[in-house]
Amino acid sequence: MIELFNSGAYLINGSEIIRDDAETSAKLKQRGISVSKEQARKGTISHGILSAHNTSKDERILQRSFPRNLTLKFDSLTSHDITYVGIIQTARASGMERFPVPYVLTNCHNSLCAVGGTINQDDHVFALSAARKYGGIYVPPHLAVIHSYNREMMAGCGKMILGSDSHTRYGALGTMAVGEGGGELAKQLVGRTYDMANPEVVGIFLSGEPAKGVGPQDVALAIIKAVFSNGYVKNKVMEFTGDGVAKLSVDFRNGIDVMTTETTCWSSIWKTDDQVKTYLDEHGRGSEYRELKPADAAYYDGFISICLSKIEPCIALPFHPSNVYTIKELQQNAKDILAFCNEVSRAKNEEDGLKALGVRDTSLNLGLKYHDGGVWADQAVIAGCSGGIFSNIMAAVDIMKGASIGNSNFSMSVYPESQPVYLELVKNGAVETLMKSGVLVREAFCGPCFGAGDTPANGELSIRHVTSNFPNREGSKPTDGQIASVALMDARSIAATAANGGRITSATDIDIPFGKYRFVFDRSIYDKRVYNGTGAPLSETKLVFGPNIKDWPKMPALPENLLLKVVSFITDPVTTTDELIPSGETSSYRSNPLKLAEFTLSRKDPGYVERAKNVQTLEQLRHDGKADEEMPGLLNTIRKIPGCEKLELSDFSLGSAIFARKPGDGSAREQAASCQRVLGASANFALEYATKRYRSNLINWGILPFIITDEKVISTGSYIFFPGLKDALLQKKETITGFVLGDTITEIKVSLGELTDSERQILINGCLINYYAHFATKFPVHFATKFPAH
């Protein structure tokens, strides 16, 4: 079904795969192919797009055949109403005068304004005023989810789009799209570049054709299961090729593509064909099409072969999209599988220390969902950029014709991804069919993906065709004794389940005809409501600030010597950004850094905020020369370190830090880092970082992304002193020595991984805003476009 190569591979003429092994040269020679691996690497679709967007001077001057580092500029940017205020505030503070490229501001996360009331709507008014002032695109609430609008209106073959949402993926339309933290968008807004090492490219070769009843979520979940835990595609580009691509509609491809985020890849791209051309033609953007395909000889650093005809309907059980079983496996081994998931939940409960906090048992009790010979769900949702796609909903409609979800506890909601999609569903009778079966049809909204809207009752199981099922993404609050869970499924099997009264059912187990439906895109919906000021900023426009929209507080620069106190120690295998800063009701405070910071780690380590604030208080006292009783003892211990004998309290600063084994999986939201910084964090310690985007967020907020090899040397409450830290960054030392303070002083070695020169300077300046202010004093006239080259 899915085969991961243990080496790279050559793809010849788009169809023949030659593994990179001892016989490769002979096989290439037999076919009359004379190409080096370096040359063949340039034959990927990815290399062509990245090269076209690379602004690196050493690439142009030195004529390197394959540049090690890239400095990228994107064709357009996109954000939603949980992230755009912070990004614009950062860019304003950094000297932005106008949006230099098209910037789409959508309103699909806080669009209901049901939580926080006017707080959310104030953000929308701010965004419209910003679009007018700086020349942006404003998409009003309820009109489209962020990725639908970009697929329909912005994506084009050979383009690159940067978004502040982790699921920014438009590869099926020939656009290499990247989801990142807000700091990276702010860089683009002030004329800077996105800097990274040239990523490896993994070929994804599709063959065969999906069976009837198998949908894009099934294919995506099967891929995620195969590659997540082993990191096969981590921070790499997934490039989809093979004759199986032509067997998939563009909608189907989009549904797979948007889920590549959950593999931890950096981006994705697909070969394009006449179906993509037709899609762009139908959306009035036929000029955006060009054929993209690998060269006659292309080399991939890794390779995955997928036979689509062998993919079965899947279900991802709590708490991760990689916790995947086929529905058949679940049906055959329900008791064992549910018992295992429940044990993981119980262990997680213990790990989070919830019982120690006096919280009652919050295990999932998934075993209760197995009865009467089947596994039963309480709720179903089809929504957002992955589920609310036209073809997914129409497949669900085919299954629901003449059916009823019943009048018991089971409920079902469908959220079309955009108003143009909704309109077509009204015109072709789909909405009527769904409503007559008992399904609620709602507006375009991302809420079910991040814990707002359709929140299940305590103990319930919700099956959803959305992007992720991380803990609390369904809106539960374990610290209050409230827990529910989400399982991911494809819209087809969700509809089969709904037609079966909530009993989890594979769409391949029912025999119904699936129709072929044409989608007619009506652009007038956008023309009448979307504000598009691209290239025409109205600089005299005043930004409209609500009372909950606040500027970023000042961040300190990196001191020469740094004392850290570990205030949270997380030993989960992976820590998601949702656990670092919860989604859901906290979204109301995304534009208020101080209020939002109060929620940091609130569902993972509820004592974190108080402990971090205590460190902030100690630092303020030290800064004011009013050290409390603890600091003199720490200073005496520090003076025992060779070379530190004469240090005074004024010679170092104090900051907090967290340890997590592998933090940063999941959302791209920068608040996972900025909230720590607002509370005085100076560092993270980790065995590794789950994603590039979280590590970038840490750097952009001046938080040192330390990597350690032995977690046993530190614990909650540990003080760690780093003498000469600033100098170590300036000298680009591969390892940095610190000292864990105690009755005995223990040496600790840390590293920061690869850093660009600008990233080092950002850390030294204390955050991205300080970095730009630093250069503004040197280049006061239009400094954003006159930065020194990297």
PDB file of all heavy atoms in Angstrom, residues 50 53 55 71-77 100-102 159-163 168 175-180 184-185 188 192-196 266-267:
ATOM      1  N   LEU A  50      11.596  26.964  -6.018  1.00  0.00           N
ATOM      2  CA  LEU A  50      12.443  27.591  -5.009  1.00  0.00           C
ATOM      3  C   LEU A  50      13.498  28.483  -5.650  1.00  0.00           C
ATOM      4  O   LEU A  50      13.772  29.586  -5.168  1.00  0.00           O
ATOM      5  CB  LEU A  50      13.112  26.516  -4.139  1.00  0.00           C
ATOM      6  CG  LEU A  50      12.173  25.754  -3.197  1.00  0.00           C
ATOM      7  CD1 LEU A  50      12.887  24.565  -2.563  1.00  0.00           C
ATOM      8  CD2 LEU A  50      11.625  26.684  -2.116  1.00  0.00           C
ATOM      9  N   HIS A  53      12.248  31.850  -6.649  1.00  0.00           N
ATOM     10  CA  HIS A  53      11.917  32.756  -5.549  1.00  0.00           C
ATOM     11  C   HIS A  53      13.115  33.042  -4.639  1.00  0.00           C
ATOM     12  O   HIS A  53      12.964  33.735  -3.628  1.00  0.00           O
ATOM     13  CB  HIS A  53      10.763  32.172  -4.723  1.00  0.00           C
ATOM     14  CG  HIS A  53       9.465  32.151  -5.456  1.00  0.00           C
ATOM     15  ND1 HIS A  53       9.145  31.176  -6.372  1.00  0.00           N
ATOM     16  CD2 HIS A  53       8.400  33.004  -5.440  1.00  0.00           C
ATOM     17  CE1 HIS A  53       7.944  31.414  -6.868  1.00  0.00           C
ATOM     18  NE2 HIS A  53       7.472  32.515  -6.326  1.00  0.00           N
ATOM     19  N   THR A  55      16.410  34.832  -3.578  1.00  0.00           N
ATOM     20  CA  THR A  55      17.052  36.121  -3.835  1.00  0.00           C
ATOM     21  C   THR A  55      18.504  36.138  -3.393  1.00  0.00           C
ATOM     22  O   THR A  55      19.132  37.195  -3.383  1.00  0.00           O
ATOM     23  CB  THR A  55      16.304  37.244  -3.099  1.00  0.00           C
ATOM     24  OG1 THR A  55      16.440  37.060  -1.683  1.00  0.00           O
ATOM     25  CG2 THR A  55      14.828  37.252  -3.466  1.00  0.00           C
ATOM     26  N   THR A  71      17.156  32.427   0.414  1.00  0.00           N
ATOM     27  CA  THR A  71      16.523  33.629   0.954  1.00  0.00           C
ATOM     28  C   THR A  71      15.332  33.922   0.055  1.00  0.00           C
ATOM     29  O   THR A  71      15.471  34.434  -1.050  1.00  0.00           O
ATOM     30  CB  THR A  71      17.500  34.822   0.979  1.00  0.00           C
ATOM     31  OG1 THR A  71      17.989  35.060  -0.337  1.00  0.00           O
ATOM     32  CG2 THR A  71      18.677  34.530   1.897  1.00  0.00           C
ATOM     33  N   LEU A  72      14.152  33.565   0.528  1.00  0.00           N
ATOM     34  CA  LEU A  72      12.963  33.528  -0.313  1.00  0.00           C
ATOM     35  C   LEU A  72      12.072  34.750  -0.137  1.00  0.00           C
ATOM     36  O   LEU A  72      11.889  35.252   0.979  1.00  0.00           O
ATOM     37  CB  LEU A  72      12.142  32.272   0.001  1.00  0.00           C
ATOM     38  CG  LEU A  72      12.859  30.930  -0.176  1.00  0.00           C
ATOM     39  CD1 LEU A  72      11.986  29.803   0.376  1.00  0.00           C
ATOM     40  CD2 LEU A  72      13.189  30.683  -1.644  1.00  0.00           C
ATOM     41  N   LYS A  73      11.494  35.202  -1.246  1.00  0.00           N
ATOM     42  CA  LYS A  73      10.415  36.177  -1.204  1.00  0.00           C
ATOM     43  C   LYS A  73       9.179  35.540  -1.832  1.00  0.00           C
ATOM     44  O   LYS A  73       9.264  34.894  -2.870  1.00  0.00           O
ATOM     45  CB  LYS A  73      10.803  37.457  -1.941  1.00  0.00           C
ATOM     46  CG  LYS A  73      11.782  38.315  -1.142  1.00  0.00           C
ATOM     47  CD  LYS A  73      11.798  39.753  -1.618  1.00  0.00           C
ATOM     48  CE  LYS A  73      12.629  40.606  -0.681  1.00  0.00           C
ATOM     49  NZ  LYS A  73      12.599  42.045  -1.061  1.00  0.00           N
ATOM     50  N   PHE A  74       8.041  35.725  -1.178  1.00  0.00           N
ATOM     51  CA  PHE A  74       6.807  35.064  -1.582  1.00  0.00           C
ATOM     52  C   PHE A  74       5.957  35.976  -2.463  1.00  0.00           C
ATOM     53  O   PHE A  74       6.070  37.203  -2.439  1.00  0.00           O
ATOM     54  CB  PHE A  74       6.022  34.644  -0.340  1.00  0.00           C
ATOM     55  CG  PHE A  74       6.656  33.503   0.408  1.00  0.00           C
ATOM     56  CD1 PHE A  74       7.742  33.714   1.248  1.00  0.00           C
ATOM     57  CD2 PHE A  74       6.175  32.215   0.263  1.00  0.00           C
ATOM     58  CE1 PHE A  74       8.340  32.661   1.936  1.00  0.00           C
ATOM     59  CE2 PHE A  74       6.760  31.153   0.948  1.00  0.00           C
ATOM     60  CZ  PHE A  74       7.845  31.383   1.769  1.00  0.00           C
ATOM     61  N   ASP A  75       5.073  35.347  -3.239  1.00  0.00           N
ATOM     62  CA  ASP A  75       4.201  36.095  -4.143  1.00  0.00           C
ATOM     63  C   ASP A  75       3.043  36.745  -3.404  1.00  0.00           C
ATOM     64  O   ASP A  75       2.542  37.793  -3.821  1.00  0.00           O
ATOM     65  CB  ASP A  75       3.661  35.166  -5.229  1.00  0.00           C
ATOM     66  CG  ASP A  75       4.763  34.611  -6.107  1.00  0.00           C
ATOM     67  OD1 ASP A  75       5.411  35.406  -6.817  1.00  0.00           O
ATOM     68  OD2 ASP A  75       5.009  33.389  -6.069  1.00  0.00           O
ATOM     69  N   SER A  76       2.573  36.110  -2.334  1.00  0.00           N
ATOM     70  CA  SER A  76       1.498  36.699  -1.539  1.00  0.00           C
ATOM     71  C   SER A  76       1.530  36.095  -0.149  1.00  0.00           C
ATOM     72  O   SER A  76       2.200  35.086   0.110  1.00  0.00           O
ATOM     73  CB  SER A  76       0.123  36.475  -2.195  1.00  0.00           C
ATOM     74  OG  SER A  76      -0.201  35.099  -2.256  1.00  0.00           O
ATOM     75  N   LEU A  77       0.793  36.739   0.757  1.00  0.00           N
ATOM     76  CA  LEU A  77       0.721  36.323   2.155  1.00  0.00           C
ATOM     77  C   LEU A  77      -0.739  36.130   2.533  1.00  0.00           C
ATOM     78  O   LEU A  77      -1.640  36.694   1.900  1.00  0.00           O
ATOM     79  CB  LEU A  77       1.349  37.383   3.071  1.00  0.00           C
ATOM     80  CG  LEU A  77       2.739  37.899   2.723  1.00  0.00           C
ATOM     81  CD1 LEU A  77       3.140  39.028   3.674  1.00  0.00           C
ATOM     82  CD2 LEU A  77       3.764  36.771   2.761  1.00  0.00           C
ATOM     83  N   PRO A 100       3.887  45.092   0.822  1.00  0.00           N
ATOM     84  CA  PRO A 100       4.645  45.058  -0.434  1.00  0.00           C
ATOM     85  C   PRO A 100       4.151  44.013  -1.424  1.00  0.00           C
ATOM     86  O   PRO A 100       4.510  44.058  -2.596  1.00  0.00           O
ATOM     87  CB  PRO A 100       6.064  44.739   0.043  1.00  0.00           C
ATOM     88  CG  PRO A 100       5.865  43.963   1.305  1.00  0.00           C
ATOM     89  CD  PRO A 100       4.644  44.545   1.953  1.00  0.00           C
ATOM     90  N   VAL A 101       3.374  43.045  -0.951  1.00  0.00           N
ATOM     91  CA  VAL A 101       2.794  42.005  -1.809  1.00  0.00           C
ATOM     92  C   VAL A 101       1.336  41.836  -1.405  1.00  0.00           C
ATOM     93  O   VAL A 101       0.926  42.293  -0.335  1.00  0.00           O
ATOM     94  CB  VAL A 101       3.543  40.654  -1.658  1.00  0.00           C
ATOM     95  CG1 VAL A 101       4.978  40.756  -2.163  1.00  0.00           C
ATOM     96  CG2 VAL A 101       3.507  40.160  -0.204  1.00  0.00           C
ATOM     97  N   PRO A 102       0.515  41.202  -2.243  1.00  0.00           N
ATOM     98  CA  PRO A 102      -0.871  40.953  -1.829  1.00  0.00           C
ATOM     99  C   PRO A 102      -0.925  40.215  -0.495  1.00  0.00           C
ATOM    100  O   PRO A 102      -0.219  39.222  -0.293  1.00  0.00           O
ATOM    101  CB  PRO A 102      -1.424  40.079  -2.968  1.00  0.00           C
ATOM    102  CG  PRO A 102      -0.592  40.440  -4.155  1.00  0.00           C
ATOM    103  CD  PRO A 102       0.780  40.702  -3.615  1.00  0.00           C
ATOM    104  N   LYS A 159       3.776  29.539  -8.168  1.00  0.00           N
ATOM    105  CA  LYS A 159       3.776  30.571  -7.133  1.00  0.00           C
ATOM    106  C   LYS A 159       4.254  30.020  -5.791  1.00  0.00           C
ATOM    107  O   LYS A 159       4.307  28.813  -5.573  1.00  0.00           O
ATOM    108  CB  LYS A 159       2.368  31.151  -6.958  1.00  0.00           C
ATOM    109  CG  LYS A 159       1.930  32.114  -8.043  1.00  0.00           C
ATOM    110  CD  LYS A 159       0.586  32.738  -7.659  1.00  0.00           C
ATOM    111  CE  LYS A 159       0.173  33.829  -8.631  1.00  0.00           C
ATOM    112  NZ  LYS A 159      -1.102  34.466  -8.208  1.00  0.00           N
ATOM    113  N   MET A 160       4.551  30.964  -4.866  1.00  0.00           N
ATOM    114  CA  MET A 160       4.787  30.628  -3.473  1.00  0.00           C
ATOM    115  C   MET A 160       3.939  31.552  -2.602  1.00  0.00           C
ATOM    116  O   MET A 160       3.902  32.768  -2.824  1.00  0.00           O
ATOM    117  CB  MET A 160       6.264  30.768  -3.100  1.00  0.00           C
ATOM    118  CG  MET A 160       7.172  29.718  -3.726  1.00  0.00           C
ATOM    119  SD  MET A 160       8.829  29.653  -2.973  1.00  0.00           S
ATOM    120  CE  MET A 160       8.436  28.858  -1.384  1.00  0.00           C
ATOM    121  N   ILE A 161       3.227  30.962  -1.635  1.00  0.00           N
ATOM    122  CA  ILE A 161       2.382  31.724  -0.708  1.00  0.00           C
ATOM    123  C   ILE A 161       2.800  31.376   0.716  1.00  0.00           C
ATOM    124  O   ILE A 161       2.978  30.203   1.053  1.00  0.00           O
ATOM    125  CB  ILE A 161       0.893  31.411  -0.927  1.00  0.00           C
ATOM    126  CG1 ILE A 161       0.441  31.889  -2.309  1.00  0.00           C
ATOM    127  CG2 ILE A 161       0.025  32.063   0.162  1.00  0.00           C
ATOM    128  CD1 ILE A 161      -1.017  31.572  -2.642  1.00  0.00           C
ATOM    129  N   LEU A 162       2.936  32.401   1.549  1.00  0.00           N
ATOM    130  CA  LEU A 162       3.279  32.218   2.962  1.00  0.00           C
ATOM    131  C   LEU A 162       2.075  32.582   3.804  1.00  0.00           C
ATOM    132  O   LEU A 162       1.490  33.659   3.638  1.00  0.00           O
ATOM    133  CB  LEU A 162       4.470  33.111   3.330  1.00  0.00           C
ATOM    134  CG  LEU A 162       4.987  33.010   4.770  1.00  0.00           C
ATOM    135  CD1 LEU A 162       5.572  31.634   5.045  1.00  0.00           C
ATOM    136  CD2 LEU A 162       6.030  34.096   5.049  1.00  0.00           C
ATOM    137  N   GLY A 163       1.683  31.681   4.706  1.00  0.00           N
ATOM    138  CA  GLY A 163       0.521  31.922   5.554  1.00  0.00           C
ATOM    139  C   GLY A 163       0.824  31.696   7.014  1.00  0.00           C
ATOM    140  O   GLY A 163       1.688  30.889   7.368  1.00  0.00           O
ATOM    141  N   THR A 168      -1.403  25.958   5.549  1.00  0.00           N
ATOM    142  CA  THR A 168      -1.239  26.706   4.310  1.00  0.00           C
ATOM    143  C   THR A 168      -0.573  25.790   3.289  1.00  0.00           C
ATOM    144  O   THR A 168       0.645  25.648   3.246  1.00  0.00           O
ATOM    145  CB  THR A 168      -0.387  27.967   4.545  1.00  0.00           C
ATOM    146  OG1 THR A 168      -0.970  28.734   5.608  1.00  0.00           O
ATOM    147  CG2 THR A 168      -0.333  28.819   3.284  1.00  0.00           C
ATOM    148  N   THR A 175       1.157  25.498  -6.428  1.00  0.00           N
ATOM    149  CA  THR A 175       1.695  26.562  -5.574  1.00  0.00           C
ATOM    150  C   THR A 175       2.401  25.951  -4.379  1.00  0.00           C
ATOM    151  O   THR A 175       1.798  25.156  -3.646  1.00  0.00           O
ATOM    152  CB  THR A 175       0.574  27.486  -5.076  1.00  0.00           C
ATOM    153  OG1 THR A 175      -0.022  28.132  -6.192  1.00  0.00           O
ATOM    154  CG2 THR A 175       1.101  28.532  -4.112  1.00  0.00           C
ATOM    155  N   MET A 176       3.649  26.316  -4.176  1.00  0.00           N
ATOM    156  CA  MET A 176       4.352  25.861  -2.991  1.00  0.00           C
ATOM    157  C   MET A 176       3.998  26.809  -1.850  1.00  0.00           C
ATOM    158  O   MET A 176       4.391  27.977  -1.852  1.00  0.00           O
ATOM    159  CB  MET A 176       5.869  25.838  -3.222  1.00  0.00           C
ATOM    160  CG  MET A 176       6.624  25.154  -2.102  1.00  0.00           C
ATOM    161  SD  MET A 176       8.391  24.980  -2.469  1.00  0.00           S
ATOM    162  CE  MET A 176       8.315  23.646  -3.672  1.00  0.00           C
ATOM    163  N   ALA A 177       3.208  26.334  -0.906  1.00  0.00           N
ATOM    164  CA  ALA A 177       2.713  27.163   0.185  1.00  0.00           C
ATOM    165  C   ALA A 177       3.289  26.695   1.507  1.00  0.00           C
ATOM    166  O   ALA A 177       3.498  25.500   1.716  1.00  0.00           O
ATOM    167  CB  ALA A 177       1.182  27.131   0.224  1.00  0.00           C
ATOM    168  N   VAL A 178       3.530  27.642   2.398  1.00  0.00           N
ATOM    169  CA  VAL A 178       4.214  27.361   3.654  1.00  0.00           C
ATOM    170  C   VAL A 178       3.438  27.992   4.804  1.00  0.00           C
ATOM    171  O   VAL A 178       3.065  29.168   4.738  1.00  0.00           O
ATOM    172  CB  VAL A 178       5.650  27.928   3.628  1.00  0.00           C
ATOM    173  CG1 VAL A 178       6.366  27.636   4.952  1.00  0.00           C
ATOM    174  CG2 VAL A 178       6.442  27.357   2.456  1.00  0.00           C
ATOM    175  N   GLY A 179       3.192  27.219   5.857  1.00  0.00           N
ATOM    176  CA  GLY A 179       2.574  27.743   7.063  1.00  0.00           C
ATOM    177  C   GLY A 179       3.645  28.059   8.091  1.00  0.00           C
ATOM    178  O   GLY A 179       4.456  27.196   8.425  1.00  0.00           O
ATOM    179  N   GLU A 180       3.666  29.283   8.577  1.00  0.00           N
ATOM    180  CA  GLU A 180       4.703  29.718   9.511  1.00  0.00           C
ATOM    181  C   GLU A 180       4.116  30.613  10.587  1.00  0.00           C
ATOM    182  O   GLU A 180       2.964  31.039  10.503  1.00  0.00           O
ATOM    183  CB  GLU A 180       5.798  30.500   8.767  1.00  0.00           C
ATOM    184  CG  GLU A 180       6.915  29.634   8.223  1.00  0.00           C
ATOM    185  CD  GLU A 180       7.885  29.142   9.306  1.00  0.00           C
ATOM    186  OE1 GLU A 180       7.645  29.413  10.496  1.00  0.00           O
ATOM    187  OE2 GLU A 180       8.871  28.472   8.946  1.00  0.00           O
ATOM    188  N   GLU A 184       7.580  35.422  10.549  1.00  0.00           N
ATOM    189  CA  GLU A 184       8.065  35.250   9.178  1.00  0.00           C
ATOM    190  C   GLU A 184       7.257  36.086   8.192  1.00  0.00           C
ATOM    191  O   GLU A 184       7.790  36.573   7.192  1.00  0.00           O
ATOM    192  CB  GLU A 184       8.033  33.775   8.787  1.00  0.00           C
ATOM    193  CG  GLU A 184       9.009  32.901   9.569  1.00  0.00           C
ATOM    194  CD  GLU A 184      10.450  33.363   9.427  1.00  0.00           C
ATOM    195  OE1 GLU A 184      10.834  33.801   8.326  1.00  0.00           O
ATOM    196  OE2 GLU A 184      11.197  33.290  10.417  1.00  0.00           O
ATOM    197  N   LEU A 185       5.964  36.272   8.459  1.00  0.00           N
ATOM    198  CA  LEU A 185       5.172  37.149   7.597  1.00  0.00           C
ATOM    199  C   LEU A 185       5.578  38.601   7.811  1.00  0.00           C
ATOM    200  O   LEU A 185       5.644  39.384   6.863  1.00  0.00           O
ATOM    201  CB  LEU A 185       3.678  36.971   7.862  1.00  0.00           C
ATOM    202  CG  LEU A 185       3.016  35.812   7.112  1.00  0.00           C
ATOM    203  CD1 LEU A 185       3.297  34.479   7.789  1.00  0.00           C
ATOM    204  CD2 LEU A 185       1.513  36.018   6.979  1.00  0.00           C
ATOM    205  N   GLN A 188       8.453  39.501   5.678  1.00  0.00           N
ATOM    206  CA  GLN A 188       8.080  39.775   4.295  1.00  0.00           C
ATOM    207  C   GLN A 188       7.450  41.161   4.160  1.00  0.00           C
ATOM    208  O   GLN A 188       7.658  41.855   3.166  1.00  0.00           O
ATOM    209  CB  GLN A 188       7.108  38.715   3.792  1.00  0.00           C
ATOM    210  CG  GLN A 188       7.661  37.294   3.763  1.00  0.00           C
ATOM    211  CD  GLN A 188       8.582  37.032   2.583  1.00  0.00           C
ATOM    212  OE1 GLN A 188       8.264  37.343   1.451  1.00  0.00           O
ATOM    213  NE2 GLN A 188       9.747  36.451   2.867  1.00  0.00           N
ATOM    214  N   ARG A 192      11.979  41.996   3.935  1.00  0.00           N
ATOM    215  CA  ARG A 192      13.032  41.024   4.209  1.00  0.00           C
ATOM    216  C   ARG A 192      12.682  39.675   3.584  1.00  0.00           C
ATOM    217  O   ARG A 192      11.683  39.533   2.886  1.00  0.00           O
ATOM    218  CB  ARG A 192      13.247  40.884   5.723  1.00  0.00           C
ATOM    219  CG  ARG A 192      13.720  42.171   6.380  1.00  0.00           C
ATOM    220  CD  ARG A 192      15.088  42.605   5.862  1.00  0.00           C
ATOM    221  NE  ARG A 192      16.138  41.793   6.430  1.00  0.00           N
ATOM    222  CZ  ARG A 192      17.306  41.575   5.859  1.00  0.00           C
ATOM    223  NH1 ARG A 192      17.564  42.098   4.677  1.00  0.00           N
ATOM    224  NH2 ARG A 192      18.214  40.844   6.453  1.00  0.00           N
ATOM    225  N   THR A 193      13.505  38.689   3.857  1.00  0.00           N
ATOM    226  CA  THR A 193      13.352  37.387   3.215  1.00  0.00           C
ATOM    227  C   THR A 193      13.128  36.277   4.233  1.00  0.00           C
ATOM    228  O   THR A 193      13.377  36.430   5.422  1.00  0.00           O
ATOM    229  CB  THR A 193      14.596  37.046   2.375  1.00  0.00           C
ATOM    230  OG1 THR A 193      15.764  37.108   3.215  1.00  0.00           O
ATOM    231  CG2 THR A 193      14.744  38.004   1.221  1.00  0.00           C
ATOM    232  N   TYR A 194      12.656  35.164   3.724  1.00  0.00           N
ATOM    233  CA  TYR A 194      12.478  33.931   4.503  1.00  0.00           C
ATOM    234  C   TYR A 194      13.740  33.105   4.270  1.00  0.00           C
ATOM    235  O   TYR A 194      14.021  32.695   3.150  1.00  0.00           O
ATOM    236  CB  TYR A 194      11.240  33.204   3.998  1.00  0.00           C
ATOM    237  CG  TYR A 194      10.895  31.916   4.705  1.00  0.00           C
ATOM    238  CD1 TYR A 194       9.914  31.885   5.693  1.00  0.00           C
ATOM    239  CD2 TYR A 194      11.527  30.715   4.374  1.00  0.00           C
ATOM    240  CE1 TYR A 194       9.569  30.698   6.326  1.00  0.00           C
ATOM    241  CE2 TYR A 194      11.195  29.535   5.007  1.00  0.00           C
ATOM    242  CZ  TYR A 194      10.217  29.535   5.980  1.00  0.00           C
ATOM    243  OH  TYR A 194       9.889  28.354   6.600  1.00  0.00           O
ATOM    244  N   ASP A 195      14.505  32.882   5.326  1.00  0.00           N
ATOM    245  CA  ASP A 195      15.827  32.271   5.191  1.00  0.00           C
ATOM    246  C   ASP A 195      15.826  30.856   5.736  1.00  0.00           C
ATOM    247  O   ASP A 195      15.367  30.605   6.863  1.00  0.00           O
ATOM    248  CB  ASP A 195      16.868  33.103   5.936  1.00  0.00           C
ATOM    249  CG  ASP A 195      16.859  34.568   5.511  1.00  0.00           C
ATOM    250  OD1 ASP A 195      16.422  34.833   4.380  1.00  0.00           O
ATOM    251  OD2 ASP A 195      17.281  35.427   6.308  1.00  0.00           O
ATOM    252  N   MET A 196      16.349  29.931   4.956  1.00  0.00           N
ATOM    253  CA  MET A 196      16.399  28.535   5.384  1.00  0.00           C
ATOM    254  C   MET A 196      17.411  27.777   4.542  1.00  0.00           C
ATOM    255  O   MET A 196      17.804  28.214   3.450  1.00  0.00           O
ATOM    256  CB  MET A 196      15.025  27.870   5.233  1.00  0.00           C
ATOM    257  CG  MET A 196      14.550  27.758   3.792  1.00  0.00           C
ATOM    258  SD  MET A 196      12.967  26.909   3.609  1.00  0.00           S
ATOM    259  CE  MET A 196      13.373  25.264   4.149  1.00  0.00           C
ATOM    260  N   TRP A 266       7.673  20.460   5.382  1.00  0.00           N
ATOM    261  CA  TRP A 266       7.759  21.925   5.294  1.00  0.00           C
ATOM    262  C   TRP A 266       6.757  22.469   4.284  1.00  0.00           C
ATOM    263  O   TRP A 266       6.108  23.481   4.518  1.00  0.00           O
ATOM    264  CB  TRP A 266       9.183  22.332   4.927  1.00  0.00           C
ATOM    265  CG  TRP A 266       9.356  23.800   4.725  1.00  0.00           C
ATOM    266  CD1 TRP A 266       9.359  24.766   5.696  1.00  0.00           C
ATOM    267  CD2 TRP A 266       9.533  24.488   3.481  1.00  0.00           C
ATOM    268  NE1 TRP A 266       9.538  26.011   5.124  1.00  0.00           N
ATOM    269  CE2 TRP A 266       9.655  25.871   3.763  1.00  0.00           C
ATOM    270  CE3 TRP A 266       9.624  24.064   2.147  1.00  0.00           C
ATOM    271  CZ2 TRP A 266       9.851  26.831   2.766  1.00  0.00           C
ATOM    272  CZ3 TRP A 266       9.819  25.012   1.156  1.00  0.00           C
ATOM    273  CH2 TRP A 266       9.933  26.383   1.471  1.00  0.00           C
ATOM    274  N   SER A 267       6.657  21.808   3.143  1.00  0.00           N
ATOM    275  CA  SER A 267       5.699  22.236   2.122  1.00  0.00           C
ATOM    276  C   SER A 267       5.403  21.059   1.206  1.00  0.00           C
ATOM    277  O   SER A 267       5.905  19.944   1.413  1.00  0.00           O
ATOM    278  CB  SER A 267       6.254  23.420   1.320  1.00  0.00           C
ATOM    279  OG  SER A 267       5.262  23.942   0.447  1.00  0.00           O
TER     280      SER A 267
END
